[in-house]
Amino acid sequence: VRARLYTPSRSQSAVVEGLRVRLRQEPAEAWDGTWLALTLRLPADRRQRERLAASLWFDGFRPWAPGTFVRPAWPERWALGRARHYLAHAPGFCLRGSFVEPLNLRRVANLYELAALDRQARALAGWIRRQGAIQSSAERTFAARLRVGGLVSRLIGHDPRLPRMPDAPTLFDFFKLRFGPAAHMLQSARLATKNG
């Protein structure tokens, strides 16, 4: 019905906000090199455990050992807020600090599957470029915006929000590649929808 208003559920609203945060400009805040190690007592119920694991993954916490998840403490306020969120919902603790041994950035890249994400980002950016400008009816523009927005959201949902790391410019380039063309295409679609 045309007059009906639809809104995401409370749990999906957190996902929508997470995607919105990832599409904003990258924070200028420098990373201090510290990591968060979040250790939680996992729920006994399998469905709750899977939901928790998916939420942690969405927020860039990666499993390091059974019940322990790590991520860079960046952006600081956001990352600490997410750790506190999980501690409010499950028993556990969180430590912040630097690794005793130098961190193997190759292991970090593998942990976050950055090579696969980079390939997906390049493929999506290429596909978006090939679409060209949207010059069509308002209905087609809206449909194109939904399609592109869905593809971009799916990719951005895999964004672990990593900071620029020393001696690893590819991690930063990975972000730049994704945000640039995708954000430009969404902006073009938004303008076309307004004008159409």
Side-chain angles (χ1 to χ4, degrees), residues 70-162:
V70 297
R71 72 152 290 115
W74 181 94
E76 181 180 23
R77 194 167 154 192
W78 175 84
L80 291 173
R82 296 314 296 157
R84 288 187 183 103
H85 165 80
Y86 292 111
L87 291 172
H89 293 88
F93 60 90
C94 184
L95 298 174
R96 178 181 182 180
S98 302
F99 284 91
V100 174
E101 294 291 321
L103 187 61
N104 181 337
L105 291 177
R106 188 170 288 161
R107 183 168 183 193
V108 172
N110 290 336
L111 187 67
Y112 285 97
E113 300 176 344
L114 293 181
L117 285 174
D118 184 58
R119 282 193 301 274
Q120 292 172 25
R122 288 177 193 279
L124 179 58
W127 181 84
I128 290 172
R129 271 194 298 274
R130 289 190 299 277
Q131 301 312 300
I134 301 172
Q135 294 180 1
S136 189
S137 66
E139 292 83 9
R140 287 186 181 175
T141 299
F142 181 72
R145 182 178 174 194
L146 284 180
R147 183 171 183 208
V148 171
L151 293 170
V152 170
S153 295
R154 195 170 297 129
L155 177 66
I156 294 297
H158 293 268
D159 180 356
R161 297 199 81 194
L162 295 181

Side-chain angles (χ1 to χ4, degrees), residues 156-178:
I156 294 297
H158 293 268
D159 180 356
R161 297 199 81 194
L162 295 181
R164 184 192 295 237
M165 296 189 182
D167 305 320
T170 54
L171 300 184
F172 179 71
D173 293 340
F174 165 73
F175 284 98
K176 202 164 74 175
L177 172 71
R178 269 180 318 163

Side-chain angles (χ1 to χ4, degrees), residues 1-23:
V1 182
R2 284 181 181 226
R4 194 169 294 267
L5 179 66
Y6 295 92
T7 59
S9 67
R10 184 178 297 168
S11 62
Q12 288 304 306
S13 292
V15 173
V16 170
E17 182 54 28
L19 294 173
R20 195 173 288 139
V21 164
R22 286 159 172 80
L23 285 167

Side-chain angles (χ1 to χ4, degrees), residues 14 22 36 38-41 51-61 69 71 78-94:
R22 286 159 172 80
L36 299 178
L38 179 63
T39 299
L40 300 171
R41 186 179 310 144
R51 206 175 356 230
L52 176 62
S55 183
L56 285 160
W57 188 91
F58 181 72
D59 285 333
F61 286 91
F69 306 84
R71 72 152 290 115
W78 175 84
L80 291 173
R82 296 314 296 157
R84 288 187 183 103
H85 165 80
Y86 292 111
L87 291 172
H89 293 88
F93 60 90
C94 184

